[in-house]
Amino acid sequence: QIQVAESGGELVQAGGSLRLSCTASGPNVDVYGMGWFRQAPGKGREAVSCITWSGVKSTYAASTEGRFTISRNNMDYSLHLQMNNLKPEDTAIYYCAAHSRPFHGCSSSPEEYASWGQGTQVTVSS
């Protein structure tokens, strides 16, 4: 079972930047895709982006394209989300998660992810 934990969420002004981090450990953690999700108050969990075990990236939240970058450290398999030019609508709890299937591609469906972190709050003020 993969253990996941996020960090890095803060209060930041619009136009600012944040870098979220996620540690992941467990059996065969290197062969599971990892994704970033976010959940704004009163809304469902939204897929932001994902990176496969082989390093292929997918962006699911169109509003973040060109501003957010997902990456994975190939040594310790930690996950990162670099967020630039933040907007108030980016305010949400951000989660990282490990996909449920080894050697599988990315997915935007939360139901297909088995291991979740506790979430980290990102608040963007105008």
Side-chain angles (χ1 to χ4, degrees), residues 3-10 18-24 34-37 69-73 76-83 94-97 117-122:
Q3 301 292 319
V4 178
E6 312 95 334
S7 63
E10 295 180 8
L18 285 175
R19 182 176 174 84
L20 304 183
S21 297
C22 173
T23 59
M34 297 288 293
W36 284 102
F37 291 78
T69 303
I70 190 172
S71 63
R72 190 171 186 173
N73 187 304
D76 62 8
Y77 303 102
S78 59
L79 189 71
H80 304 277
L81 185 67
Q82 179 65 47
M83 304 185 294
Y94 283 72
Y95 301 87
C96 65
Q118 78 287 348
T120 185
Q121 177 70 50
V122 172

Side-chain angles (χ1 to χ4, degrees), residues 1-112:
Q1 184 174 352
I2 298 175
Q3 301 292 319
V4 178
E6 312 95 334
S7 63
E10 295 180 8
L11 171 64
V12 64
Q13 289 186 319
S17 298
L18 285 175
R19 182 176 174 84
L20 304 183
S21 297
C22 173
T23 59
S25 61
N28 301 312
V29 65
D30 57 320
V31 296
Y32 289 87
M34 297 288 293
W36 284 102
F37 291 78
R38 64 184 182 182
Q39 188 165 13
K43 297 184 178 180
R45 195 160 296 186
E46 174 192 29
V48 177
S49 61
C50 179
I51 184 167
T52 71
W53 65 274
S54 60
V56 179
K57 302 176 182 179
S58 296
T59 298
Y60 297 113
S63 64
T64 71
E65 190 169 7
R67 299 187 297 120
F68 290 10
T69 303
I70 190 172
S71 63
R72 190 171 186 173
N73 187 304
N74 290 330
M75 294 301 297
D76 62 8
Y77 303 102
S78 59
L79 189 71
H80 304 277
L81 185 67
Q82 179 65 47
M83 304 185 294
N84 297 326
N85 192 24
L86 284 161
K87 303 176 180 180
E89 51 263 42
D90 295 319
T91 296
I93 300 175
Y94 283 72
Y95 301 87
C96 65
H99 202 276
S100 62
R101 300 180 182 179
F103 299 104
H104 201 271
C106 283
S107 172
S108 63
S109 300
E111 294 79 10
E112 296 187 18

